[in-house]
Amino acid sequence: MASKNGLQLARQAMALQMERGFDKQLSKVRIISGGGGKCVAELKIEKEHQNRGGTLHGGLVATLVDTITSIALMTSEKQVLGTSVDLSVSFMKAVKDGEEIVMNAETVKAGKTLAFLKLDIRNKVTGDMVATGTHTVYIK
Amino acid sequence: MASKNGLQLARQAMALQMERGFDKQLSKVRIISGGGGKCVAELKIEKEHQNRGGTLHGGLVATLVDTITSIALMTSEKQVLGTSVDLSVSFMKAVKDGEEIVMNAETVKAGKTLAFLKLDIRNKVTGDMVATGTHTVYIK
Amino acid sequence: MASKNGLQLARQAMALQMERGFDKQLSKVRIISGGGGKCVAELKIEKEHQNRGGTLHGGLVATLVDTITSIALMTSEKQVLGTSVDLSVSFMKAVKDGEEIVMNAETVKAGKTLAFLKLDIRNKVTGDMVATGTHTVYIK
Amino acid sequence: MASKNGLQLARQAMALQMERGFDKQLSKVRIISGGGGKCVAELKIEKEHQNRGGTLHGGLVATLVDTITSIALMTSEKQVLGTSVDLSVSFMKAVKDGEEIVMNAETVKAGKTLAFLKLDIRNKVTGDMVATGTHTVYIK
């Protein structure tokens, strides 16, 4: 599924996202692969990603669900970003300072007006599931 | 429900949140009232809160659901922050540059081990519902 | 908001729902009021509504979120049922055999192509929140 | 993962579920395999499973998310049913009269006090994703 062109497309989309605004918070996210409606990304957790307790902030997890699944959709045949309708996240395990996460985003279904996307986040070293999220978007 | 002490508690909790890490993104949020498990806050949408399309970023909306409901729970009898279990957001209307939002957070139920929180976000001028969110947290 | 015509509309919609299929499970639900996109209904919990543990079944709670919010939408200006996109439920308190629940459904927003609905379920005697749900539907 | 003993365990759990109450609606569900926290089940859609429009009822889909994931958890090392905390469903495609669905339930994480479960539902013939669901349960 993932291809060189898909990776370029994903990286371009991510770069455009981060040019301005809130997505600057994701500037350290690395897009590893992309294409065919999928996208893999990684991030090392630093202070700027953490909550008061010193672990990965739930709001950042939700932001990753939003943005990384949108990048995945951008690499599908639709090549659109969509407008968020519903987003949900389940938080399974804390991620500490210095730990790395791997994110797998997937376009579960892209219909005429709605697309259903999902993201799994795992600890890169242990493989433990950190969080899962779903993102439903409206395609203009 | 809301009281002077509750407001102080909410503002202290918010200040502690923003000392470090990802919650710095919320530095312009103003806590208007708090107490009894509730909290009201406001935010004017600037560039740093926006997505590529120039409207309020869905990831920031989710971050507000996470953080502002946690502040509300902090002002309840429990006076705890909790650990996120599940978070969901429905996005109803875009918020543009310069517009202001009003957030109403509420502790729907705080049990022995789990608390159920919710946040409504409205456009301050029009009163239109912008987004609604729920946040289930585990209380240590 | 609620009106005599709204109530008739809600009861007709409910009767149509229950003519056939899975909604027969809701045959003991009583529509109390309806109109303006809202609907109030009641149900006494009997054996047929329970799980193995003898309390209100989570699947029935989700079915109520689906069906009762659809009835509410039917009483709005849109007068449509819509097609389910996303549905979420938070379960706060068990309901035992013989206890009664009161359901408040509301159309939070009905746009051109999507409507956002919610349902609160309370114990009729104690007033305790039993469950809350959201339901996003696509309007054809 | 799936094993003969796991399958027996899953079928016993399902039989116990359906002895009484709301789960009788699931009497035609066939458990195909089970074990190691997973469970596969099938169902042919008949009138009793349908909404007014003659397609698979969203409430039944949510009931399947609730019950089949609980069966999956029962086949994990924990061997418990759990109490529902949060449940969410995304609906992707209608299922018509006479069509068959295949359900894959999985225990994503089973911790000390909370378990995170998921269910994918596909059309048995076309393989199209029909719905996906998540179910967070509290383990007593």
Side-chain angles (χ1 to χ4, degrees), chain D:
Chain D
M1 295 276 196
S3 65
K4 197 175 176 183
N5 287 346
L7 177 57
Q8 285 173 337
L9 195 56
R11 285 189 171 152
Q12 281 168 12
M14 193 68 189
L16 276 170
Q17 293 275 16
M18 286 186 299
E19 264 176 18
R20 48 176 276 181
F22 191 68
D23 279 310
K24 281 186 184 168
Q25 310 316 320
L26 305 185
S27 63
K28 291 180 179 166
V29 171
R30 300 180 306 278
I31 303 291
I32 303 301
S33 72
K38 295 185 178 182
C39 177
V40 179
E42 295 185 351
L43 177 66
K44 185 178 175 183
I45 305 311
E46 304 185 7
K47 291 280 174 286
E48 70 201 67
H49 308 124
Q50 299 172 19
N51 55 31
R52 199 165 103 186
T55 59
L56 176 58
H57 194 294
L60 178 56
V61 171
T63 302
L64 290 166
V65 172
D66 183 345
T67 300
I68 307 300
T69 62
S70 296
I71 301 291
L73 180 60
M74 181 57 95
T75 77
S76 73
E77 289 180 9
K78 298 274 175 186
Q79 295 203 12
V80 291
L81 276 181
T83 305
S84 294
V85 175
D86 287 300
L87 183 147
S88 72
V89 194
S90 294
F91 302 91
M92 294 166 201
K93 203 171 175 66
V95 184
K96 294 173 188 165
D97 186 56
E99 292 187 326
E100 281 197 83
I101 56 173
V102 182
M103 295 161 267
N104 271 275
E106 197 178 317
T107 302
V108 180
K109 186 192 168 187
K112 283 180 202 164
T113 53
L114 291 167
F116 297 87
L117 315 167
K118 71 170 185 172
L119 185 75
D120 286 354
I121 304 182
R122 291 178 178 276
N123 183 302
K124 191 178 175 182
V125 171
T126 65
D128 287 342
M129 192 74 87
V130 163
T132 62
T134 63
H135 187 203
T136 304
V137 300
Y138 183 72
I139 305 171
K140 278 159 283 192

Side-chain angles (χ1 to χ4, degrees), chain C residues 52-100:
Chain C
R52 199 165 102 186
T55 58
L56 176 57
H57 194 294
L60 178 55
V61 171
T63 302
L64 291 166
V65 172
D66 182 346
T67 300
I68 307 301
T69 61
S70 296
I71 301 290
L73 179 61
M74 181 58 96
T75 76
S76 73
E77 290 180 9
K78 298 274 174 184
Q79 295 203 11
V80 291
L81 276 181
T83 305
S84 295
V85 174
D86 286 301
L87 184 148
S88 73
V89 193
S90 294
F91 303 91
M92 293 165 201
K93 205 172 172 67
V95 184
K96 294 174 189 164
D97 186 56
E99 292 187 327
E100 281 196 83

Side-chain angles (χ1 to χ4, degrees), chain B:
Chain B
M1 295 277 196
S3 65
K4 196 175 176 184
N5 286 345
L7 178 55
Q8 285 173 335
L9 196 56
R11 285 190 171 154
Q12 280 167 12
M14 193 67 188
L16 277 170
Q17 294 275 13
M18 286 187 299
E19 264 176 18
R20 51 176 273 180
F22 192 68
D23 278 310
K24 281 188 185 168
Q25 311 315 320
L26 307 185
S27 63
K28 292 180 179 167
V29 171
R30 301 180 304 278
I31 303 291
I32 302 302
S33 73
K38 295 185 180 182
C39 178
V40 179
E42 294 185 351
L43 178 66
K44 184 176 175 184
I45 305 310
E46 304 184 8
K47 291 278 174 287
E48 69 201 68
H49 307 123
Q50 299 171 20
N51 56 30
R52 198 164 103 185
T55 60
L56 176 57
H57 193 294
L60 178 55
V61 171
T63 302
L64 290 166
V65 172
D66 182 345
T67 300
I68 307 300
T69 62
S70 296
I71 302 289
L73 179 61
M74 180 59 93
T75 76
S76 73
E77 290 179 10
K78 298 273 174 185
Q79 296 203 11
V80 290
L81 276 180
T83 305
S84 294
V85 174
D86 286 301
L87 183 147
S88 72
V89 193
S90 293
F91 302 90
M92 293 164 201
K93 205 171 173 68
V95 184
K96 293 173 189 163
D97 186 56
E99 292 187 328
E100 281 197 82
I101 56 173
V102 183
M103 295 162 267
N104 271 274
E106 197 179 317
T107 302
V108 180
K109 186 194 170 186
K112 281 179 205 165
T113 52
L114 291 167
F116 297 87
L117 315 167
K118 70 169 184 174
L119 185 76
D120 286 354
I121 304 181
R122 290 179 180 275
N123 183 303
K124 192 178 175 183
V125 172
T126 64
D128 287 343
M129 192 73 87
V130 164
T132 63
T134 64
H135 188 201
T136 304
V137 299
Y138 183 72
I139 305 172
K140 278 160 280 192

